[in-house]
Amino acid sequence: MKWRGVNELREMYLSFFESKNHTRMASSSLIPQGDNSLLLINSGMAPLKKFFLGQAVPPNKRVTTCQKCIRTPDIERVGKTARHGTYFEMLGNFSFGDYFKTEAIEWAWEFLTEILEIPAEKLWITVFESDDEAEQIWKNKIGIPQDRIIRLGKEDNFWEHGSGPCGPCSEIHFDRGESYGPFESFEQASECDRIVEIWNLVFSQFDSDGNGNYAEMETKNIDTGMGLERLACAIQGVDNLFEVDTVKNIMGKICEIADVQYKNDENTDVSLRVITDHIRSTTFMVGDGITPANEGRGYVLKRLLRRAARHGKMLGINEPFLYKVCDTVIEENKSAYPELVEKRELIKKIIKHEEESFAKTIDKGTELLSHFIDKISADEIKNVLSGDDAFKLSDTYGFPLDLTKEIAAENGIEVDEKRFKECMEEQKRKARSDRASKIKTSWSDENTSAINVPATEFTGYTRFKHDAEILEIFVDGKSVDSISEGQEAVIILDQTPFYAESGGQSADTGEISTEDAVFAVYNVTKTENGHFLHFGAIEKGSINKNDTVFAEIDVEKRMSAMRNHTAAHLLQAALREVLGEHVHQAGQLVNAERCRFDFSHFSAVTPDEILRIENIVNDEILNSINVVTKEMPIEEARKLGAMALFGEKYGDIVRVVDIGGKSIEFCGGTHVKNTSNIGLFKIVSENSVASGVRRIEAVTGNGVLLFMNELRNSINAASAVLKIANPAKLAERCQALTEELKEKDKQIQKLSQQLAGNQLANMFDNAKEINGIKIISAMLNGTKPDMLRQIGDKVKEQTEDFIAVFAGIADDKGTLYCVCGKNAVSKGANAGKIVQRIAAITGGKGGGRPDSAMAGIGKNYMVDEALGALESIANEFLK
């Protein structure tokens, strides 16, 4: 049996099944596509589920893959054992209604014994206890001795997940040799890890109803899975995944950084295994577009990174290092996943940023947790960390509950999770109510009289971060000397890079910080006297009046707002060019997400005009025009032709934004330096907001890409529903489908008319008469108002001596239609009043002319009672 590396094994497997006419499909992203049941892809079959369920057509009936997978249920055990990991690759070959048991078994045996040259005597087979067919194939076609074929029960060798396709399994096991223990029985050898399962062949041949009933399927499928790392362990003759070549090299890099060796100390080994596994997972997760967050898959990433970072500190690494190990992960996997190389810098940047963020809090958090643990250890009665203390660690120091639990468990201490969750809910409720209300109510115009400091100097046109001095702090409208963790406040600085909400541009957000404290800024306004009010909350530490702080805006958010603001100027110029000089700004909102522009115009902007406007703006973007901002006397600005907002008051000196003479406007907002910085411009909607005022919403830069991606996803989803392989054919298919539906509607209408005609004959035969007028009523399920009218017309063609009420319910909406013949009307019948009376019984309303009228049905279940009242109501009119 020849030694082979992980990358070689992967390629050998995929190439082998390609030789068996399988289509090699690239690994899917770890982010499930169109499957909300999974947080992360956790098996080789998961991305192919749509093919097994018939929701999509596979590229071939035979497919082979090597799929990236993440599993986290055993995350607490990763590192403590050498068996558990969160990231792995799953080799698989699949048949969608093509080959079945014989080929799956024969090819598995051929690959293992002939391609990899594993001695046949090292392999053991298990089959489902009642699967005689699989056992006979192994015994008669492959030649496996009877005593090496083990029958196991449903728990071990039958795959099913609720209702749907399921079936028996056949597993191939590898004997690792006597060094792992004696072979007294198959079960005993499995328990001591001498025998390990390396390949699972699933034969999907039944359809389960979820209640223990299994129907044989006409189209049977094959789903196999073989862990690449587990296969490598067998081929390389090593104990566990941390010793296979690619993973071992990653651990080697960590040992080099930490200056430690593997297998010298158990505690060191635990940390090395945690970091090795987690950096593999996180590198691939970030490469697939996952970023750290406080929920969902982003939280899984954050948890893995912080757990790895903590174990780095336990090894004595006191600086960010995981981002350096990324290079080794990428190098070891680049042959199969070249996209990692393309995204190398982004992956390293995101991981380094999360390391740095965690480093700011881990020391203080660990110190406080140690204090809590010492107090508990001194108490002989309890060994539980309170939920309040766990919450403080999470809320103040960013310690995830999982990390607190892990450290506590290492000291034999449990955590009161129930109380922790209660604290979390309390905080969320308080944050939702207090933060929203305080930001609106803690400041009023009256408070400005309490400001007795110099006006704020705005530096944000050219600077995004710098030192500043705190001149004033307000809490609930009152001046205070300091604020501490958790407090809401308003801060005034001597100078600020934060743009205050004005001119339709949203305010900046960001942080005001010291070495030990962070004040999160989530809104900024400006007083008439030039004081910038920074609304926010202390996230940690405390801040005092007269402190020197570091003010830093969210640059990415600001840049997006600048792109949208400059685009708004270009948009107004384009609107005036296409629609006319009457166009003037009537309102504007530009933020990081989009540009919303209201303008004077008296008709909808046509699709052709929208296209022309877009093209003009994008042309100016491609022309790379410099955006020049200048302050000048207002008269000089007017001579330049600068546009001002109607009703806006300006001082003697104004700020003018000039975009190459194409657009010249009075504006105090922030803008890009060159139109090329906008990237792209796309109008996403146009509608009326008031009489003579239209609104256009548009996106720029990355917003365009996001919009296009969402549009593409919608097109792909629609194509999938309509079973169109080529999305470019979507419009053509929709047109054809529309024609098909029209034709079917005609057929339905024709059949309904025929049915109605047949029903009418019976109605007249069984109708009661009052004063020579026949009284007819009928409930017609699935009949819409138009069809009710047609039925009424049919009745009129047959006689003039009738009163008829028809009820129809379609799409849960009920309608009553009353029609009276000419002679019935002459005798006092009134369709409008009759239908009104009948509808009222159901809680509905309506009315109309004496000869025909319509009403809505309130409660559908009251229809029979309402129709039953027709005879007595008609009798009142015909007396």
Side-chain angles (χ1 to χ4, degrees), residues 648-666:
E648 188 75 12
K649 294 181 180 180
Y650 296 96
D652 293 334
I653 302 297
V654 294
R655 187 168 182 267
V656 175
V657 178
D658 185 350
I659 309 178
K662 301 290 184 180
S663 168
I664 308 175
E665 295 188 33
F666 290 29

Side-chain angles (χ1 to χ4, degrees), residues 457-464 466 496-499 553 558 670:
E457 178 190 354
F458 177 60
T459 61
Y461 288 133
T462 57
R463 302 171 69 188
F464 293 162
H466 55 70
T496 182
F498 286 84
Y499 183 81
I553 68 171
R558 163 73 83 82
T670 62

Side-chain angles (χ1 to χ4, degrees), residues 155-210:
E155 183 177 345
D156 296 297
N157 278 71
F158 194 94
W159 185 91
E160 67 177 320
H161 186 72
S163 61
C166 60
C169 310
S170 182
E171 296 177 339
I172 305 173
H173 300 254
F174 178 78
D175 185 350
R176 303 167 81 180
E178 294 181 358
S179 61
Y180 290 87
F183 197 112
E184 298 173 359
S185 67
F186 177 84
E187 291 75 15
Q188 173 271 329
S190 297
E191 290 176 1
C192 71
D193 281 346
R194 172 171 176 169
I195 291 285
V196 293
E197 178 253 321
I198 59 173
W199 204 342
N200 186 17
L201 313 179
V202 179
F203 312 126
S204 296
Q205 63 185 95
F206 300 112
D207 186 8
S208 169
D209 64 358

Side-chain angles (χ1 to χ4, degrees), residues 437-454:
S437 61
K438 282 186 179 181
I439 193 65
K440 295 177 181 178
T441 63
S442 67
W443 192 268
S444 69
D445 290 341
E446 296 176 359
N447 299 137
T448 59
S449 61
I451 301 175
N452 188 26
V453 295

Side-chain angles (χ1 to χ4, degrees), residues 584-596:
H584 282 276
Q585 179 180 328
Q588 176 178 276
L589 173 63
V590 287
N591 55 28
E593 287 72 41
R594 60 184 54 205
C595 156
R596 193 182 77 193

Side-chain angles (χ1 to χ4, degrees), residues 693-729:
V693 179
R694 309 292 300 179
R695 172 174 293 171
I696 278 179
E697 294 200 13
V699 288
T700 62
N702 289 330
V704 178
L705 298 180
L706 179 63
F707 172 76
M708 298 301 289
N709 286 336
E710 291 174 349
L711 189 61
R712 180 185 61 189
N713 291 340
S714 297
I715 291 172
N716 288 341
S719 299
V721 170
L722 296 176
K723 297 182 179 180
I724 303 170
N726 182 4
K729 300 286 187 181

Side-chain angles (χ1 to χ4, degrees), residues 102 105-106 109 125 132-146 149 151:
T102 299
I105 291 172
E106 288 179 340
W109 189 256
I125 309 301
D132 296 333
E133 181 185 5
E135 183 184 77
Q136 290 304 311
I137 296 171
W138 282 114
K139 182 178 178 181
N140 299 329
K141 287 186 174 292
I142 306 301
I144 305 295
Q146 182 67 57
I149 303 175
R151 287 187 182 238

